[in-house]
Amino acid sequence: MALTRAQKRAKLAEAAEEAIERLLDWDEENPRPNLTQIEDIVLALRQRLGREFASVVMEGQEAQQPAQAPLCPRCGEVMRNKGRKGKALESRLGGVQMERGYYYCPHCESGVFPPGPTT
Ligand SMILES: [Zn+2]
């Protein structure tokens, strides 16, 4: 799905607002936290927010894919569009789950989620 800058901004702002709300809720529930507890909650929120930010950017990136099927990165054959598939990505931000267009090569049977690397 193609997202405009305004739509991306809305999604990013929503994720940030949610993180802020969670932190404020936690702050009210924990009136005298020590530094380790503060670190734990902030790191957890940062991780979650980072994944959501990455998801928004990756969704937007997919909208820039060409309409034509890509060529197989292994053998150069034209790949077949297999529709949208869920993909779990491991990133430095932790696990990110997303739906992407998936292409399959009938020649060498490799699959790819453009513009990402072969999986
Ligand atoms: Zn191939």
Side-chain angles (χ1 to χ4, degrees):
M1 183 175 61
L3 295 177
T4 64
R5 183 186 176 102
Q7 285 171 322
K8 286 182 200 173
R9 176 188 293 279
K11 281 176 175 260
L12 295 169
E14 189 184 328
E17 285 286 341
E18 192 186 315
I20 291 166
E21 279 303 313
R22 281 170 182 262
L23 181 60
L24 293 174
D25 286 347
W26 181 89
D27 187 44
E28 286 172 9
E29 290 159 13
N30 298 274
R32 297 186 65 81
N34 63 33
L35 180 57
T36 301
Q37 291 170 317
I38 295 170
E39 287 174 331
D40 286 347
I41 184 68
V42 170
L43 287 173
L45 288 170
R46 187 179 76 172
Q47 176 128 359
R48 182 191 168 91
L49 186 60
R51 287 199 302 265
E52 288 170 8
F53 274 20
S55 292
V56 171
V57 173
M58 285 188 280
E59 278 178 40
Q61 193 181 37
E62 189 192 16
Q64 295 168 10
Q65 282 178 45
Q68 278 188 327
L71 299 179
C72 176
R74 280 197 202 156
C75 73
E77 287 283 316
V78 176
M79 301 188 88
R80 291 190 188 153
N81 188 346
K82 303 297 278 185
R84 295 176 72 78
K85 274 190 162 186
K87 182 183 186 188
L89 287 174
E90 265 312 311
S91 72
R92 284 181 295 153
L93 301 163
V96 180
Q97 180 67 35
M98 58 185 312
E99 276 224 330
R100 299 294 292 266
Y102 180 72
Y103 291 84
Y104 175 78
C105 175
H107 183 68
C108 71
E109 303 184 338
S110 63
V112 68
F113 288 89
T118 305
T119 52

